[in-house]
Amino acid sequence: MGELTGKTALVTGASRGIGRAVAERLAADGALVAVNYARDETAAKETVAAIEAAGGRAFAVRAELGADGAIGDLLAGLDAHGVTTLDVLVNNAGIGAPVPIEDVTPDLYDRVFAVNTRALFFLTRSLLPRIPDHGRIVNITTGATRIAFPEGIAYAMSKGAVDTFTLALAKHLGPRGITVNNVAPGIVDTDVNADWLRGNAEAEAYAASRAALGRVGRPDDIAAAVAFLASGDGRWVTGTTVDATGGSEL
């Protein structure tokens, strides 16, 4: 019996990277996991297949968060699988904007906030009736809200708004015993960073040097932090950020 046996979880943006690792970990802990994806159906099916091969339970739900109608699509996908109660919500879906202020166009700014902030806000609001007392909400933010990140200023701003959302929502939902927390990754070895990180010894050494623990983060490092907050052991932690950067820029 896993920690989350009998529970249902939704992980947004779960077809790859950190989201996939979180989905696999929550399923390994016993949860039935809804694997949300935006466009890559093949990757989502691969995530579900990997979970099932390991003895877990999962299903894929398509919804391109940030696009018109996406939240309705996601709710319909949950309904189609008979999911009316959601014990764990992990808001992981997001997009980057690795450019300084001079290169941030209004369209890019709006797109980043539409996905990283607005969609997260309204999806969570829409799901609140399905989250029972003592449920868990975990938002994936970024170490860039603690560490100056001018080369991705709009992205960092969008996640800073999520940090504030988490703080306020934790207070709001506290009477119901629902915890709301952030997990903030640093540099993680995912396909998002593959172009500049993988196979480049100099880049990897630089990335590792920024962390007090001396290596680049892995998706399962972040998944472990999420799993703690989703578990019974995380029952007395709310309204805060678990820094999962490996001690970057301490």
Side-chain angles (χ1 to χ4, degrees), residues 5 46 54 61 74 146 174 180 199 224 244:
T5 298
E46 289 173 353
V61 180
L74 199 155
R146 172 177 63 82
V180 189

Side-chain angles (χ1 to χ4, degrees), residues 3 10 13 24 28 34 37 58 68 77 79 84 101 104 119 126 131 138-139 149 157 166 168-169 203 213 221-222 224:
E3 174 71 32
L10 166 64
E24 291 180 344
Y37 69 99
D68 291 342
D79 290 341
T84 57
I101 190 170
V104 176
S126 296
I131 299 176
V138 182
N139 300 319
F149 189 54
M157 288 173 62
T166 295
L169 192 64
L213 296 179
D221 294 324
I222 314 307

Side-chain angles (χ1 to χ4, degrees), residues 197-206:
L197 185 61
R198 293 178 185 170
N200 185 331
E202 184 177 349
E204 184 172 354
Y206 165 73

Side-chain angles (χ1 to χ4, degrees), residues 19-30:
R20 174 171 175 164
V22 171
E24 291 180 344
R25 173 59 188 268
L26 297 184
D29 287 348

